[in-house]
Amino acid sequence: MIRKLCSGSGLGLGSRFGSIRLSQRFVFLIFLSALVTVCFGAIFFLPDSLRLRRFFLLSTEPQRTDIAGSGQGVGPRLAAASPHRQAEAHIRSLWRGKEDRLGKESLLDLIRQGVTEGGRRVTGDSESGAAVNGGPVEASNGHHPPSLEPRAQSTDQDVRSHREKVKEMMKFAWDNYRRYAWGTNELKPLSKNGHASGLFGGLLGATIVDSLDTLFIMGLQEEFREAREWVENNLDFNVNGEVSLFEVTIRFVGGLLSAYYLTGDELFKAKAIELGEKLLPDFNTPTGIPWALIKPSQWLVGRNWGWASGGSSILAEFGTLHLEFVHLSEVSGNPKFAEKVMAIRKVLNRLEKPHGLYPNYLSPVTGHWGQHHVSIGGLGDSFYEYLIKAWLMSDKTDEEAKTMYYEALQAIETNLVRKSASGLTYIAEWRGGILDHKMGHLACFSGGMLAMGADDAPADQSKHYMELAAEITVTCHESYKRSATKLGPEAFRFDGGADAVATRMNDKYYILRPEVVETYMHMWRFTHDPRYREWGWEAVQALEQHCRVDAGFSGIRDVYSNLPHHDDVQQSFFLAETLKYLYVLFSEDELLSPEHWVFNTEAHPLPVIRRNTQEQVITNDQ
Ligand code: DMJ
């Protein structure tokens, strides 16, 4: 209507103007100028006028929502500045430089051109490794992380061909998923159809969302485009069935956020926020500790796994939401996401810990621990991972997370870390004070975690933690080396004469898990000891030999048997994590460097939130 008024306002004006009195002309001119102001204002304030507004402002400045002050209670980092402003600054810094140099091209375009962050060309092919070199902050402050190795090493023919091999594996896994299971959650590579896991209820497309960033990083452009198209047209959160809050957060929210940060594509951001909003009612418990499961169709209903210690929530589940929810607040400008995870931390801090240890079970109703089972493997693992990563992701401002991490680590070392008769260091499990001398494949992520946290360790413990990291890595490698397939079992023991081998049939399987190669990747980056790349390559060869089948990759039922007994599932985390970590292991240090990026527990890279983001806004505005 306003537009009609504006466009019609000039009709016949000239012919009539001469015949009216001076005072009337004056009134009419005032009316005219008011009308022009209204029209101009409308261009700026109507919701559908964003393009025009951009045109007038000659800028890609995102819309600002003034929520200053509303960050209270979400921790010092978010309270200090509007999260929206921080997110805005982040995106601006992510794109700045590229816009200056090349116009508003996406990172994908950069990959196509083989242009790296520093303006160098990627040698030989159009791999995107270098396209996300160093990440967003490099683009804003222009400094590159110090390279710890001679540059020549990264162009070494073997390393390049290993990287290429991993990329080929990803393409093979993806192509088969696309051909036989498109739109379902995972591929059954022997049956050649889709696999529905109970973790996602009616939610579909787990492999697609989990793979987005891997495809992007590897420069698989056509595949990434297809995946994006599916997300745009088919990713639907209005579904029936119960979903796991943890799994949906680490795979879907994490995957979408990461795709957004790597590409700047608003579609991924909108989808991540939409899903995040839907998960919020799961936190409506008497303590704020969320339920394990939520029904997307009835947002207010949550419950816990029937097997979990009298209806408890699980440490590794409710304690592994922090990175994603803090980033949801970053990108949405809405502090409520971060508030939810800070409330969890508050409950944990208040509780008495047996021997300083965190039991795996906690009642969301009473706020009391359930069974005193402690594990750095399944049920506990990524809680510890997210403490140190929260510290790193906050640009080392989240002192509370740091303190919690090192205190927990000390208790773990005192109570759980042991040496086997042959001298292998392992992390046992603790059941009400009694040690269970087993280590799960899942616990093997801890080598990388220890290395990542070593630098900031208190009281000269840095060297010690690096040594411990190396020892754990050796143990996990031994669990692979001691099997016929050179792949590691689900759990291995250090009692009854066993030394890093599984003794029970139901511990002998391998389901394409990433934790061991994840640790190799981190250890390589922190030490540049070539054995980690060698061990990674051993894993690639074993995967090829024992897990590759006609139509994808499958887990195996017994790592000690050379006869293939495949489980017929190509897990989505194989594409999200295992192959990504292997690819990064054989890439330059600057690809997703730890200075700028933190991997969520599903290997989705999330950027470090700079402490000086506010200053960056000011700088960028100049
Ligand atoms: C992944 O979904 C994540 O790494 C999670 O933290 C643990 N389990 C799987 C992979 O093994």
Side-chain angles (χ1 to χ4, degrees):
M1 203 179 100
I2 293 177
R3 287 212 183 106
K4 250 187 171 171
L5 201 59
C6 293
S7 57
S9 63
L11 284 176
L13 254 181
S15 57
R16 287 193 217 139
F17 204 64
S19 63
I20 49 179
R21 285 211 312 262
L22 195 62
S23 61
Q24 283 172 320
R25 279 185 205 175
F26 184 67
V27 170
F28 185 74
L29 276 175
I30 288 177
F31 169 74
L32 195 60
S33 62
L35 195 61
V36 167
T37 309
V38 168
C39 289
F40 197 67
I43 285 170
F44 276 78
F45 295 113
L46 279 183
D48 63 348
S49 65
L50 277 175
R51 281 194 189 164
L52 280 170
R53 185 181 167 191
R54 284 212 187 107
F55 174 77
F56 277 102
L57 292 177
L58 292 174
S59 135
T60 54
E61 186 180 41
Q63 265 186 300
R64 293 181 186 198
T65 313
D66 185 13
I67 55 160
S70 57
Q72 275 177 10
V74 291
R77 177 72 193 92
L78 287 172
S82 147
H84 190 78
R85 257 182 102 68
Q86 289 172 25
E88 175 187 316
H90 178 81
I91 298 301
R92 283 155 66 88
S93 68
L94 178 63
W95 290 98
R96 214 171 69 122
K98 294 182 181 66
E99 285 185 21
D100 293 351
R101 206 170 52 240
L102 299 160
K104 297 178 188 69
E105 289 168 288
S106 70
L107 281 174
L108 205 56
D109 293 329
L110 295 178
I111 293 167
R112 207 165 291 128
Q113 296 173 26
V115 177
T116 73
E117 185 70 37
R120 288 172 284 118
R121 290 206 148 252
V122 181
T123 46
D125 60 18
S126 62
E127 278 178 285
S128 56
V132 284
N133 271 355
V137 179
E138 243 177 52
S140 71
N141 67 14
H143 89 264
H144 282 261
S147 179
L148 298 172
E149 63 165 332
R151 303 285 292 187
Q153 177 139 9
S154 58
T155 56
D156 173 85
Q157 200 47 46
D158 279 351
V159 177
R160 279 179 58 79
S161 68
H162 293 173
R163 190 164 68 232
E164 277 308 305
K165 177 70 210 165
V166 176
K167 183 172 169 180
E168 183 278 329
M169 290 164 79
M170 177 68 188
K171 184 157 167 48
F172 181 69
W174 175 265
D175 284 348
N176 280 293
Y177 165 77
R178 196 190 52 187
R179 181 159 180 203
Y180 298 113
W182 186 244
T184 67
N185 280 324
E186 287 164 327
L187 165 70
K188 284 166 82 75
L190 282 106
S191 315
K192 300 187 179 169
N193 55 37
H195 174 245
S197 118
L199 302 171
F200 308 115
L203 203 54
L204 291 172
T207 293
I208 297 175
V209 180
D210 236 3
S211 298
L212 282 165
D213 50 14
T214 311
L215 295 172
F216 185 81
I217 288 158
M218 292 184 180
L220 291 165
Q221 300 154 27
E222 185 52 26
E223 292 77 3
F224 177 83
R225 194 194 53 71
E226 284 167 351
R228 188 214 178 270
E229 202 174 297
W230 187 91
V231 169
E232 184 170 32
N233 300 323
N234 302 90
L235 182 59
D236 182 9
F237 304 129
N238 298 309
V239 291
N240 289 317
E242 282 178 319
V243 304
S244 154
L245 171 69
F246 161 74
E247 296 291 352
V248 166
T249 299
I250 66 169
R251 301 191 202 208
F252 283 81
V253 177
L256 291 165
L257 282 172
S258 181
Y260 169 59
Y261 279 118
L262 289 171
T263 63
D265 187 332
E266 296 281 324
L267 166 73
F268 300 123
K269 175 171 117 176
K271 288 279 183 189
I273 296 170
E274 185 190 345
L275 179 55
E277 297 269 358
K278 291 202 174 283
L279 299 174
L280 286 174
D282 202 41
F283 294 79
N284 293 338
T285 65
T287 56
I289 299 289
W291 302 108
L293 298 157
I294 180 166
K295 281 189 181 173
S297 51
Q298 304 160 43
W299 291 106
L300 299 177
V301 184
R303 72 170 180 102
N304 275 337
W305 301 105
W307 49 264
S309 182
S312 293
S313 299
I314 292 166
L315 183 67
E317 296 196 334
F318 66 77
T320 311
L321 307 168
H322 193 96
L323 307 186
E324 295 83 356
F325 276 66
V326 165
H327 264 293
L328 279 175
S329 279
E330 279 287 313
V331 297
S332 67
N334 188 337
K336 71 187 164 190
F337 299 103
E339 280 167 2
K340 298 291 179 199
V341 286
M342 291 311 289
I344 295 175
R345 190 185 277 179
K346 209 167 165 186
V347 172
L348 288 173
N349 265 329
R350 220 182 37 223
L351 280 166
E352 193 70 34
K353 283 130 209 127
H355 299 271
L357 296 166
Y358 288 82
N360 291 337
Y361 300 106
L362 180 65
S363 164
V365 178
T366 64
H368 295 144
W369 298 118
Q371 258 175 45
H372 281 194
H373 174 215
V374 177
S375 164
I376 199 152
L379 305 177
D381 50 3
S382 39
F383 160 69
Y384 306 99
E385 176 187 346
Y386 269 33
L387 289 179
I388 190 62
K389 287 183 175 175
W391 160 249
L392 297 171
M393 198 183 83
S394 70
D395 201 11
K396 304 194 176 182
T397 59
D398 188 345
E399 295 285 343
E400 188 175 52
K402 180 188 181 191
T403 306
M404 287 170 78
Y405 172 73
Y406 289 109
E407 284 179 3
L409 197 54
Q410 202 176 4
I412 285 166
E413 206 180 344
T414 310
N415 296 287
L416 308 184
V417 175
R418 294 291 180 267
K419 261 201 194 328
S420 76
S422 74
L424 292 179
T425 303
Y426 63 97
I427 309 181
E429 302 198 358
W430 194 83
R431 295 176 191 278
I434 296 170
L435 278 190
D436 186 3
H437 296 273
K438 85 162 192 204
M439 192 165 164
H441 192 287
L442 288 165
C444 285
F445 86 96
S446 60
M449 178 185 75
L450 283 158
M452 184 179 317
D455 256 8
D456 300 320
D460 301 330
Q461 293 281 293
S462 302
K463 192 162 166 275
H464 167 67
Y465 283 136
M466 270 318 287
E467 284 166 2
L468 188 56
E471 288 173 21
I472 296 290
T473 313
V474 166
T475 302
C476 291
H477 175 246
E478 284 300 316
S479 79
Y480 274 48
K481 204 172 148 194
R482 293 174 188 200
S483 78
T485 55
K486 305 299 168 215
L487 292 165
E490 180 67 4
F492 41 96
R493 304 199 65 87
F494 299 90
D495 53 8
D499 200 52
V501 289
T503 54
R504 299 170 189 178
M505 196 53 218
N506 57 3
D507 282 341
K508 292 185 180 173
Y509 62 88
Y510 170 70
I511 56 167
L512 306 173
R513 285 198 192 278
E515 292 77 17
V516 174
V517 296
E518 171 182 356
T519 276
Y520 294 163
M521 186 279 284
H522 288 298
M523 291 304 291
W524 160 255
R525 290 214 151 166
F526 286 109
T527 66
H528 287 129
D529 182 334
R531 71 182 164 163
Y532 298 119
R533 276 184 164 171
E534 284 160 23
W535 293 352
W537 185 241
E538 285 171 13
V540 167
Q541 289 172 303
L543 284 164
E544 282 286 282
Q545 193 180 341
H546 300 287
C547 299
R548 188 168 179 140
V549 294
D550 275 359
F553 288 87
S554 164
I556 53 175
R557 297 190 194 281
D558 182 359
V559 295
Y560 301 102
S561 165
N562 264 318
L563 296 171
H565 286 289
H566 293 111
D567 68 7
D568 199 15
V569 183
Q570 178 176 283
Q571 305 277 349
S572 79
F573 54 66
F574 180 66
L575 295 88
E577 297 189 74
T578 312
L579 293 177
K580 187 188 289 136
Y581 285 133
L582 283 166
Y583 186 82
V584 174
L585 174 67
F586 297 119
S587 295
E588 293 184 18
D589 283 355
E590 289 83 357
L591 171 63
L592 298 171
S593 92
E595 192 182 346
H596 303 300
W597 298 90
V598 168
F599 291 99
N600 89 337
T601 196
E602 190 76 1
H604 297 304
L606 298 171
V608 170
I609 301 167
R610 291 294 162 197
R611 67 176 88 199
N612 61 352
T613 312
Q614 259 194 316
E615 287 84 76
Q616 282 181 16
V617 174
I618 294 160
T619 313
N620 291 345
D621 282 342
Q622 283 168 350

